[in-house]
Amino acid sequence: MTKPSSFSFRLSKLRVRHLALLEIIAESGSLRQAANTLSVTQPAVTAMLQELEALLGARLVERDQQGARLTLAGNAVRERLCLVLNALHGVEATFLTTPPRPHLRIGALSFAMLELVPKVLATLRKDRPDITFEFIEGTVEEMISGVLTGDFDCALGRLDSQINTLQDSDIEFKILCNVPLRIACAENNPISKRRNVTLEELQQEPWVLLPQGTGSRRTFEQAFAQRGLLPPFPTVESMSFVSNFHLVATTNLLTISTATAVEEYCRYGIIAPVDIQWPVSLAPLMLFARKNTMELESVQAFYQCIEAHTSTPS
């Protein structure tokens, strides 16, 4: 039998109570506040910290009159311990049902929840009724953060410039499909009746757009720039594409969103499409997860099902 290394032996002495300690200290900036959060005394928190520092052989927290803050080593350890703690939360979710069932925590962009995810779940409910799901909608940045910290087992999102910073991480990417864009307006807006609308015409229209820095805003401006046109500045900026659709429905504003979202809300009779094929697409939709998590059987089942739906025309 191979004798465990000294460091591995010390790691084996870690307890669950150690896992959240550094995260709580980092957020509160105080051992006293950490004690309140953990419902223990401050001496007990100090003892826990000393145990953790002794086990890892490094100083993890600096204390002064301003409070407590993590050292460089403390921040590095905190990141890894958060992954372990979130993995345990995943185990906890598995045992919330009787008998225990696989439970997936999935981050997703809102547009993916409109059509793609419902189709995938309809299939999986028949093929894999044992798997339970928890979907958390958010921004691309929130998807990335959730995967890195282990809050999400996997995520459905578009990675544009962010993918360059993640190439050397342990995140695995699965490209699913392109994300075309469409322009929308109110049903009674005269532009909805025009055919072969041009960018020059759209340049003169009032707009409600997502804020600067978002993928759709960059793609919107890129289309005009490629044509040598100055992109129109929006009358309204709003982070919610749903809110934008409702603003469009009651005003003369136009907006841009994913083709899936526009087509879905057109079926509801809330908005109408504008007859122009947008010349620039968003970054492709991807499923991404940490490499060890991507190997989970339940994640693979979800990926294979979503890949089948995105590779087959609707």
Side-chain angles (χ1 to χ4, degrees), residues 32 140 151 161 242:
R32 180 172 58 82
V140 172
D151 287 325
S161 58
V242 175

Side-chain angles (χ1 to χ4, degrees), residues 161-229:
S161 58
Q162 301 96 335
I163 198 168
N164 295 325
T165 62
L166 297 172
Q167 289 286 7
D168 295 329
S169 70
D170 66 345
I171 290 183
E172 185 173 346
F173 310 92
K174 304 285 190 181
I175 296 177
L176 298 171
C177 60
N178 291 324
V179 184
L181 293 166
R182 292 204 71 176
I183 305 301
C185 64
E187 287 190 303
N188 61 356
N189 191 316
I191 201 170
S192 69
K193 307 298 189 293
R194 297 184 207 165
R195 292 294 170 261
N196 301 316
V197 176
T198 66
L199 286 172
E200 286 79 4
E201 291 175 275
L202 293 180
Q203 189 187 32
Q204 308 305 316
E205 296 292 330
W207 291 86
V208 51
L209 298 173
L210 269 63
Q212 288 281 358
T214 56
S216 67
R217 181 68 173 270
R218 285 194 299 269
T219 306
F220 174 82
E221 294 175 346
Q222 185 181 356
F224 286 95
Q226 287 180 353
R227 193 66 173 267
L229 299 172

Side-chain angles (χ1 to χ4, degrees), residues 16 61 78 85 87 186 215 221 271 313:
V16 173
V61 175
R78 169 199 179 193
L85 188 61
E221 294 175 346
I271 55 175

Side-chain angles (χ1 to χ4, degrees), residues 118-288:
K119 288 180 178 179
V120 170
L121 286 189
T123 300
L124 287 174
R125 291 303 301 143
K126 291 185 292 185
D127 297 344
R128 291 297 307 271
D130 57 310
I131 302 177
T132 62
F133 299 88
E134 177 183 352
F135 287 94
I136 305 95
E137 294 182 44
T139 64
V140 172
E141 288 70 24
E142 289 168 338
M143 300 299 100
I144 294 171
S145 175
V147 167
L148 287 173
T149 60
D151 287 325
F152 304 153
D153 296 312
C154 58
L156 283 168
R158 300 185 311 268
L159 299 178
D160 192 356
S161 58
Q162 301 96 335
I163 198 168
N164 295 325
T165 62
L166 297 172
Q167 289 286 7
D168 295 329
S169 70
D170 66 345
I171 290 183
E172 185 173 346
F173 310 92
K174 304 285 190 181
I175 296 177
L176 298 171
C177 60
N178 291 324
V179 184
L181 293 166
R182 292 204 71 176
I183 305 301
C185 64
E187 287 190 303
N188 61 356
N189 191 316
I191 201 170
S192 69
K193 307 298 189 293
R194 297 184 207 165
R195 292 294 170 261
N196 301 316
V197 176
T198 66
L199 286 172
E200 286 79 4
E201 291 175 275
L202 293 180
Q203 189 187 32
Q204 308 305 316
E205 296 292 330
W207 291 86
V208 51
L209 298 173
L210 269 63
Q212 288 281 358
T214 56
S216 67
R217 181 68 173 270
R218 285 194 299 269
T219 306
F220 174 82
E221 294 175 346
Q222 185 181 356
F224 286 95
Q226 287 180 353
R227 193 66 173 267
L229 299 172
L230 185 66
F233 191 80
T235 302
V236 179
E237 286 188 350
S238 166
M239 192 61 202
S240 167
F241 78 86
V242 175
S243 298
N244 293 351
F245 285 160
H246 285 276
L247 287 171
V248 161
T250 55
T251 66
N252 66 338
L253 297 170
L254 274 62
T255 195
I256 186 170
S257 189
T258 64
T260 296
V262 171
E263 290 160 8
E264 183 75 11
Y265 277 77
C266 284
R267 284 197 287 269
Y268 299 154
I270 295 175
I271 55 175
V274 175
D275 185 26
I276 181 173
Q277 184 172 355
W278 202 250
V280 184
S281 292
L282 286 168
L285 181 67
M286 297 183 180
L287 180 75
F288 54 98

